[in-house]
């Protein structure tokens, strides 16, 4: 999963969840969502959600996203993503980033 930043709209962070390894190029249920946290410090810690992007969920072969949340300048952000692959759900939660 990757979180991107640009300065538009008071700061905008977008997240993409990428397929890797054997899952790359193979369609599977994939999800991603980005969050703006209430916190302004505490890299890696849990995020108390102030705002969120819309979710992106579909049967994708390469990635879900990007999904963006605005107003992130001077706030931590976080993202969650998963892929359902061969009977297992592989989930990543970024914790607070960009603080």
């Amino acid at each position: 999963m990757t979180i991107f930043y640009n300065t538009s709209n008071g700061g905008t962070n977008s997240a993409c969840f990428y397929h890797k390894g054997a899952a790359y190029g193979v369609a599977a249920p994939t999800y991603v969502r980005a969050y703006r946290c209430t916190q302004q410090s505490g890299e890696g810690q849990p995020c108390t959600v102030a705002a969120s992007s819309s979710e992106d969920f579909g049967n994708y072969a390469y990635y879900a996203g990007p999904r963006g949340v605005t107003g992130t300048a001077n706030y931590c952000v976080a993202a969650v993503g998963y892929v359902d692959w061969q009977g297992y759900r592989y989930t990543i939660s970024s914790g607070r980033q960009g603080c």
Side-chain angles (χ1 to χ4, degrees):
M1 181 165 47
T2 302
I3 300 174
F4 303 94
Y5 177 77
N6 74 51
T7 58
S8 66
N9 299 310
T12 300
N13 283 85
S14 300
C16 290
F17 185 92
Y18 294 95
H19 288 212
K20 301 285 185 176
Y24 185 78
V26 181
T30 310
Y31 169 92
V32 71
R33 181 174 241 164
Y35 302 96
R36 182 179 74 232
C37 308
T38 60
Q39 297 88 359
Q40 295 179 305
S41 64
E43 193 88 12
Q45 296 178 21
C47 171
T48 302
V49 175
S52 68
S53 69
S54 60
E55 66 179 31
D56 188 14
F57 175 76
N59 203 34
Y60 300 125
Y62 298 99
Y63 62 91
R67 285 296 185 259
V69 61
T70 60
T72 60
N74 302 312
Y75 288 94
C76 303
V77 295
V80 173
Y82 68 77
V83 61
D84 289 335
W85 179 252
Q86 296 183 337
Y88 295 95
R89 176 164 288 174
Y90 296 93
T91 302
I92 294 175
S93 178
S94 71
R96 289 184 229 162
Q97 301 291 312
C99 304

